[in-house]
Amino acid sequence: MARLLLPLPLPIAAAASASSSSLHLSASRLSLPVVSSVARREAPFGGRATARLARRGVSAGAEAGGSAAAQVIRQEEAMEWVKKDRRRMLHVVYRVGDLDKTIKFYTECLGMKLLRKRDIPEERYTNAFLGYGPEDSHFVVELTYNYGVESYDIGTGFGHFGIAVEDVAKTVDLVKAKGGMVTREPGPVKGGKSVIAFIEDPDGYKFELIERGPTPEPLCQVMLRVGDLDRAINFYEKAFGMELLRKRDNSQYKYTIAMMGYGPEDKNAVLELTYNYGVKEYEKGNAYAQIAISTDDVYKTAEVVRLNGGQITREPGPLPGINTKITACTDPDGWKTVFVDNVDFLKELEE
């Protein structure tokens, strides 16, 4: 997106406390009034719910049971809509201390392409978008460099990014030759047959290299740790419309993972949720920011998130001066997501 900020980086003065901010927006935009259209569309599923209650002989507001029934119907309609919504994981946003060094590592060691770079001197930050194909059809990374900030706290909640490669050993040798750090040598995953390895980029972000045949989406995973796996799965299914692709428990090492996404793992980027036995909370740090997901309607998306217990941190509506409609939220564990209007997203890429 040529000018779309999803969301914008915090000014340098606030970058160190980014984890306490619900959005990665500039300070000047945090105080913007809510777009007037939000109020008119606050309950997009309410009208049909009222009509259904009327057909069932329940008068609006007649008794407590009526409002409860209306809520159930709204949730049913929301679930119906979210499953039909055209959604795709667009990009993942995180902060780095040396943009040129990181770009060099990603292009030379991981085989990514620099898709575009954008400098915003008045806001004192630079963005770089990298990936394995065009943004209109591939999941990509959005790197953010805030002027003068050389390091960030990754925290304990963020896990790793996953990249599918045809030869893990060969990729690891290349990383070593370029001076990269290998934290887990190539070999079968514990309790399985898949060949993997782990490396770190210059900022300490971990990448899992997964040996896999040719795939349309090499940047294939984002792993985040959660404190209640069943709660997280329920939220991502109902609020985000994701599908539980698989779930695996490893009692020997005391953790369980759940793969969530909008399509098969071998063809789509997925979210890997990890629950470590007995661990309920994690430190978010201020390095990792959020994932962006496409939607046909940011207003309905915000309502669905609310109905399922999510917190809206940026009311749905157009970004000032751009008119690209977005909404932002956090899941029950505090992980941030930005939803972007499908049509507006494509328009931004064309500029």
Side-chain angles (χ1 to χ4, degrees):
M1 297 173 290
R3 294 176 294 146
L4 179 58
L5 312 179
L6 296 174
L8 291 173
L10 289 167
I12 295 174
S17 60
S19 60
S20 63
S21 172
S22 60
L23 262 180
H24 197 48
L25 294 168
S26 63
S28 62
R29 292 190 177 180
L30 286 174
S31 60
L32 287 170
V34 174
V35 180
S36 60
S37 59
V38 172
R40 294 196 298 271
R41 304 186 64 171
E42 188 173 358
F45 302 102
R48 281 182 287 175
T50 302
R52 287 193 192 181
L53 285 173
R55 288 197 297 271
R56 296 181 185 182
V58 180
S59 59
E63 52 186 283
S67 60
Q71 180 74 1
V72 170
I73 293 171
R74 288 176 66 199
Q75 288 179 335
E76 290 176 352
E77 292 179 348
M79 283 292 292
E80 292 174 5
W81 176 79
V82 78
K83 290 297 183 182
K84 298 176 182 178
D85 191 23
R86 294 178 300 162
R87 295 190 173 184
R88 179 176 70 84
M89 291 170 61
L90 301 176
H91 55 253
V92 58
V93 186
Y94 52 103
R95 305 170 181 92
V96 298
D98 187 328
L99 189 59
D100 291 336
K101 185 177 182 179
T102 303
I103 291 173
K104 182 180 177 66
F105 182 84
Y106 286 13
T107 54
E108 294 185 0
C109 295
L110 301 180
M112 293 187 188
K113 296 179 180 179
L114 175 60
L115 303 172
R116 59 189 172 99
K117 192 175 179 181
R118 173 182 60 200
D119 184 51
I120 312 293
E122 61 271 21
E123 299 286 348
R124 298 180 58 80
Y125 75 90
T126 305
N127 287 139
F129 295 80
L130 296 98
Y132 295 98
E135 290 178 64
D136 61 357
S137 58
H138 288 74
F139 185 55
V140 306
V141 299
E142 177 184 342
L143 305 177
T144 296
Y145 168 69
N146 289 297
Y147 291 9
V149 183
E150 298 181 353
S151 64
Y152 295 93
D153 175 18
I154 293 179
T156 59
F158 170 78
H160 61 259
F161 304 112
I163 296 182
V165 298
E166 294 188 39
D167 190 327
V168 168
K170 183 177 180 180
T171 304
V172 166
D173 287 342
L174 178 60
V175 170
K176 289 179 177 179
K178 296 290 183 179
M181 181 181 294
V182 177
T183 59
R184 200 267 200 193
E185 293 290 339
V189 65
K190 294 176 181 177
K193 297 181 180 180
S194 299
V195 177
I196 67 167
F198 275 90
I199 64 170
E200 286 187 8
D201 76 358
D203 290 272
Y205 291 101
K206 291 181 172 61
F207 283 80
E208 179 182 13
L209 305 178
I210 306 166
E211 194 156 282
R212 186 181 291 174
T215 172
E217 196 70 280
L219 182 59
C220 59
Q221 292 178 5
V222 177
M223 192 276 259
L224 302 174
R225 298 182 176 94
V226 298
D228 185 326
L229 188 59
D230 290 336
R231 179 184 66 180
I233 290 172
N234 183 66
F235 178 82
Y236 280 96
E237 284 182 325
K238 293 181 177 179
F240 283 24
M242 288 186 177
E243 178 185 354
L244 175 59
L245 302 171
R246 63 184 173 97
K247 186 178 179 181
R248 179 169 61 87
D249 180 64
N250 192 322
S251 58
Q252 180 181 357
Y253 295 98
K254 298 183 178 181
Y255 72 87
T256 308
I257 64 169
M259 296 296 190
M260 311 288 298
Y262 296 109
E265 290 180 63
D266 60 341
K267 297 180 180 179
N268 299 271
V270 301
L271 182 62
E272 177 181 345
L273 303 176
T274 297
Y275 169 69
N276 291 298
Y277 291 8
V279 183
K280 300 297 183 182
E281 296 183 358
Y282 295 92
E283 292 294 327
K284 297 293 189 299
N286 62 359
Y288 174 85
Q290 70 268 323
I291 291 174
I293 297 174
S294 63
T295 177
D296 287 330
D297 191 321
V298 296
Y299 300 94
K300 287 185 177 180
T301 291
E303 179 67 8
V304 172
V305 170
R306 285 193 179 99
L307 286 173
N308 289 283
Q311 180 181 356
I312 299 300
T313 56
R314 204 281 186 188
E315 291 292 341
L319 287 169
I322 300 178
N323 294 323
T324 296
K325 293 181 289 295
I326 72 166
T327 190
C329 66
T330 56
D331 73 1
D333 287 276
W335 294 114
K336 306 169 190 175
T337 300
V338 173
F339 285 89
V340 188
D341 181 87
N342 274 314
V343 174
D344 293 346
F345 175 72
L346 294 178
K347 288 180 180 178
E348 285 292 329
L349 292 180
E350 293 173 355
E351 295 184 6

